[in-house]
Amino acid sequence: SWGAHCNLKGRIIANFKLHCESTESYNLALPESMIEVLLTSLQKYAVFSKVELSITDKTIDQSILELIQQRVTIILPETQEKFTPQAIGFEKIGGVSFDKGCYTGQEIIARMHYRGKLKDGLYCGEIAASTALVPNTPLQDGDGRILGYVLLSAIAENGQCLFLANCRHEQSEASAIYIDSTQVVMLNN
């Protein structure tokens, strides 16, 4: 299953795929660039529990392209602490619990779920590019207004760059969306 570690404001510090190794051992698979970030953050809480944190060599067992095709994103250093779980569609894949005990950022996350109307979400797009896009690259309309930000991208089999982005719902259907000066095609989610 998927999970995330959030800050007090409900923003994701890191997300991961959780593997239960035994009744007393769990493995959190995440990008190598996020391991130290998550370990440092979790160590603040580990001192109050009978838990041992260590780094293993296990990684997420899916390619970036497969994750994008499944509409699952990974938080990277460029996007950490910028988005709530709902803003990246994490509740749709079981990455958020609204029933379990307390966790950091729960009040904000639950309030958004029960009382608020989510203004942004996860969208998939495609652009003619020979290399993957840098996370946090802005999506803009024809007037240069920022509509959202790239979260994850990879070159697809057709040679196009497939990407996931956080976008405001009403702006995701803008007549023309660009990255730099290249128009993107937003795909059905």
Side-chain angles (χ1 to χ4, degrees), residues 6-20:
C6 299
N7 65 18
L8 291 172
K9 294 180 180 180
R11 308 276 181 196
I12 300 174
I13 295 170
N15 61 343
F16 46 82
K17 191 151 193 183
L18 178 68
H19 301 279
C20 180

PDB file of all heavy atoms in Angstrom, residues 6-20:
ATOM      1  N   CYS A   6       3.680  13.532   6.453  1.00  0.00           N
ATOM      2  CA  CYS A   6       3.349  14.941   6.223  1.00  0.00           C
ATOM      3  C   CYS A   6       3.871  15.822   7.351  1.00  0.00           C
ATOM      4  O   CYS A   6       4.125  15.352   8.456  1.00  0.00           O
ATOM      5  CB  CYS A   6       1.833  15.107   6.130  1.00  0.00           C
ATOM      6  SG  CYS A   6       1.106  14.190   4.770  1.00  0.00           S
ATOM      7  N   ASN A   7       3.970  17.123   7.059  1.00  0.00           N
ATOM      8  CA  ASN A   7       4.329  18.081   8.099  1.00  0.00           C
ATOM      9  C   ASN A   7       3.053  18.533   8.816  1.00  0.00           C
ATOM     10  O   ASN A   7       1.950  18.080   8.489  1.00  0.00           O
ATOM     11  CB  ASN A   7       5.134  19.254   7.523  1.00  0.00           C
ATOM     12  CG  ASN A   7       4.349  20.113   6.547  1.00  0.00           C
ATOM     13  OD1 ASN A   7       3.110  20.090   6.490  1.00  0.00           O
ATOM     14  ND2 ASN A   7       5.071  20.878   5.744  1.00  0.00           N
ATOM     15  N   LEU A   8       3.181  19.428   9.767  1.00  0.00           N
ATOM     16  CA  LEU A   8       2.023  19.882  10.544  1.00  0.00           C
ATOM     17  C   LEU A   8       0.972  20.587   9.683  1.00  0.00           C
ATOM     18  O   LEU A   8      -0.201  20.628  10.047  1.00  0.00           O
ATOM     19  CB  LEU A   8       2.474  20.817  11.670  1.00  0.00           C
ATOM     20  CG  LEU A   8       3.276  20.141  12.784  1.00  0.00           C
ATOM     21  CD1 LEU A   8       3.834  21.184  13.743  1.00  0.00           C
ATOM     22  CD2 LEU A   8       2.429  19.123  13.521  1.00  0.00           C
ATOM     23  N   LYS A   9       1.377  21.136   8.546  1.00  0.00           N
ATOM     24  CA  LYS A   9       0.443  21.827   7.658  1.00  0.00           C
ATOM     25  C   LYS A   9      -0.222  20.874   6.666  1.00  0.00           C
ATOM     26  O   LYS A   9      -0.929  21.297   5.765  1.00  0.00           O
ATOM     27  CB  LYS A   9       1.157  22.940   6.897  1.00  0.00           C
ATOM     28  CG  LYS A   9       1.640  24.050   7.805  1.00  0.00           C
ATOM     29  CD  LYS A   9       2.345  25.118   7.007  1.00  0.00           C
ATOM     30  CE  LYS A   9       2.830  26.225   7.934  1.00  0.00           C
ATOM     31  NZ  LYS A   9       3.516  27.281   7.186  1.00  0.00           N
ATOM     32  N   GLY A  10       0.023  19.567   6.830  1.00  0.00           N
ATOM     33  CA  GLY A  10      -0.576  18.574   5.950  1.00  0.00           C
ATOM     34  C   GLY A  10       0.101  18.433   4.605  1.00  0.00           C
ATOM     35  O   GLY A  10      -0.413  17.785   3.706  1.00  0.00           O
ATOM     36  N   ARG A  11       1.283  19.002   4.447  1.00  0.00           N
ATOM     37  CA  ARG A  11       2.033  18.918   3.194  1.00  0.00           C
ATOM     38  C   ARG A  11       2.957  17.699   3.247  1.00  0.00           C
ATOM     39  O   ARG A  11       3.564  17.409   4.276  1.00  0.00           O
ATOM     40  CB  ARG A  11       2.874  20.171   2.967  1.00  0.00           C
ATOM     41  CG  ARG A  11       2.110  21.453   3.085  1.00  0.00           C
ATOM     42  CD  ARG A  11       1.425  21.792   1.819  1.00  0.00           C
ATOM     43  NE  ARG A  11       0.705  23.057   1.952  1.00  0.00           N
ATOM     44  CZ  ARG A  11      -0.211  23.436   1.112  1.00  0.00           C
ATOM     45  NH1 ARG A  11      -0.521  22.677   0.090  1.00  0.00           N
ATOM     46  NH2 ARG A  11      -0.842  24.575   1.273  1.00  0.00           N
ATOM     47  N   ILE A  12       3.077  17.016   2.133  1.00  0.00           N
ATOM     48  CA  ILE A  12       3.860  15.773   2.089  1.00  0.00           C
ATOM     49  C   ILE A  12       5.354  16.056   2.123  1.00  0.00           C
ATOM     50  O   ILE A  12       5.883  16.770   1.269  1.00  0.00           O
ATOM     51  CB  ILE A  12       3.523  14.956   0.837  1.00  0.00           C
ATOM     52  CG1 ILE A  12       2.042  14.596   0.824  1.00  0.00           C
ATOM     53  CG2 ILE A  12       4.379  13.691   0.773  1.00  0.00           C
ATOM     54  CD1 ILE A  12       1.591  13.923  -0.451  1.00  0.00           C
ATOM     55  N   ILE A  13       6.008  15.463   3.113  1.00  0.00           N
ATOM     56  CA  ILE A  13       7.476  15.509   3.198  1.00  0.00           C
ATOM     57  C   ILE A  13       8.040  14.456   2.254  1.00  0.00           C
ATOM     58  O   ILE A  13       8.971  14.706   1.497  1.00  0.00           O
ATOM     59  CB  ILE A  13       7.948  15.264   4.645  1.00  0.00           C
ATOM     60  CG1 ILE A  13       7.469  16.410   5.543  1.00  0.00           C
ATOM     61  CG2 ILE A  13       9.461  15.086   4.701  1.00  0.00           C
ATOM     62  CD1 ILE A  13       7.655  16.159   7.024  1.00  0.00           C
ATOM     63  N   ALA A  14       7.462  13.255   2.315  1.00  0.00           N
ATOM     64  CA  ALA A  14       7.865  12.152   1.435  1.00  0.00           C
ATOM     65  C   ALA A  14       6.711  11.171   1.346  1.00  0.00           C
ATOM     66  O   ALA A  14       5.955  11.016   2.298  1.00  0.00           O
ATOM     67  CB  ALA A  14       9.114  11.451   1.972  1.00  0.00           C
ATOM     68  N   ASN A  15       6.580  10.518   0.199  1.00  0.00           N
ATOM     69  CA  ASN A  15       5.620   9.425   0.088  1.00  0.00           C
ATOM     70  C   ASN A  15       6.374   8.162  -0.293  1.00  0.00           C
ATOM     71  O   ASN A  15       7.509   8.214  -0.741  1.00  0.00           O
ATOM     72  CB  ASN A  15       4.468   9.760  -0.867  1.00  0.00           C
ATOM     73  CG  ASN A  15       4.890  10.031  -2.289  1.00  0.00           C
ATOM     74  OD1 ASN A  15       6.059  10.285  -2.580  1.00  0.00           O
ATOM     75  ND2 ASN A  15       3.942   9.999  -3.198  1.00  0.00           N
ATOM     76  N   PHE A  16       5.724   7.020  -0.083  1.00  0.00           N
ATOM     77  CA  PHE A  16       6.433   5.752  -0.190  1.00  0.00           C
ATOM     78  C   PHE A  16       5.453   4.621  -0.423  1.00  0.00           C
ATOM     79  O   PHE A  16       4.248   4.759  -0.195  1.00  0.00           O
ATOM     80  CB  PHE A  16       7.225   5.472   1.092  1.00  0.00           C
ATOM     81  CG  PHE A  16       6.426   5.724   2.344  1.00  0.00           C
ATOM     82  CD1 PHE A  16       5.543   4.780   2.836  1.00  0.00           C
ATOM     83  CD2 PHE A  16       6.539   6.936   3.012  1.00  0.00           C
ATOM     84  CE1 PHE A  16       4.786   5.038   3.971  1.00  0.00           C
ATOM     85  CE2 PHE A  16       5.797   7.197   4.151  1.00  0.00           C
ATOM     86  CZ  PHE A  16       4.916   6.240   4.631  1.00  0.00           C
ATOM     87  N   LYS A  17       5.986   3.499  -0.853  1.00  0.00           N
ATOM     88  CA  LYS A  17       5.213   2.267  -0.950  1.00  0.00           C
ATOM     89  C   LYS A  17       5.600   1.438   0.272  1.00  0.00           C
ATOM     90  O   LYS A  17       6.773   1.198   0.531  1.00  0.00           O
ATOM     91  CB  LYS A  17       5.530   1.523  -2.243  1.00  0.00           C
ATOM     92  CG  LYS A  17       4.568   0.397  -2.501  1.00  0.00           C
ATOM     93  CD  LYS A  17       4.421   0.139  -3.964  1.00  0.00           C
ATOM     94  CE  LYS A  17       3.226  -0.774  -4.166  1.00  0.00           C
ATOM     95  NZ  LYS A  17       3.073  -1.128  -5.546  1.00  0.00           N
ATOM     96  N   LEU A  18       4.602   1.038   1.032  1.00  0.00           N
ATOM     97  CA  LEU A  18       4.807   0.312   2.288  1.00  0.00           C
ATOM     98  C   LEU A  18       4.706  -1.188   2.040  1.00  0.00           C
ATOM     99  O   LEU A  18       3.735  -1.665   1.452  1.00  0.00           O
ATOM    100  CB  LEU A  18       3.754   0.749   3.305  1.00  0.00           C
ATOM    101  CG  LEU A  18       3.770   0.059   4.656  1.00  0.00           C
ATOM    102  CD1 LEU A  18       5.017   0.449   5.441  1.00  0.00           C
ATOM    103  CD2 LEU A  18       2.515   0.436   5.442  1.00  0.00           C
ATOM    104  N   HIS A  19       5.717  -1.906   2.495  1.00  0.00           N
ATOM    105  CA  HIS A  19       5.735  -3.370   2.404  1.00  0.00           C
ATOM    106  C   HIS A  19       5.844  -3.921   3.816  1.00  0.00           C
ATOM    107  O   HIS A  19       6.746  -3.532   4.566  1.00  0.00           O
ATOM    108  CB  HIS A  19       6.935  -3.863   1.587  1.00  0.00           C
ATOM    109  CG  HIS A  19       6.972  -3.355   0.193  1.00  0.00           C
ATOM    110  ND1 HIS A  19       6.240  -3.908  -0.825  1.00  0.00           N
ATOM    111  CD2 HIS A  19       7.641  -2.307  -0.356  1.00  0.00           C
ATOM    112  CE1 HIS A  19       6.464  -3.240  -1.938  1.00  0.00           C
ATOM    113  NE2 HIS A  19       7.308  -2.267  -1.681  1.00  0.00           N
ATOM    114  N   CYS A  20       4.951  -4.821   4.171  1.00  0.00           N
ATOM    115  CA  CYS A  20       5.007  -5.480   5.486  1.00  0.00           C
ATOM    116  C   CYS A  20       5.904  -6.702   5.349  1.00  0.00           C
ATOM    117  O   CYS A  20       5.568  -7.668   4.675  1.00  0.00           O
ATOM    118  CB  CYS A  20       3.600  -5.880   5.919  1.00  0.00           C
ATOM    119  SG  CYS A  20       3.563  -6.685   7.528  1.00  0.00           S
TER     120      CYS A  20
END
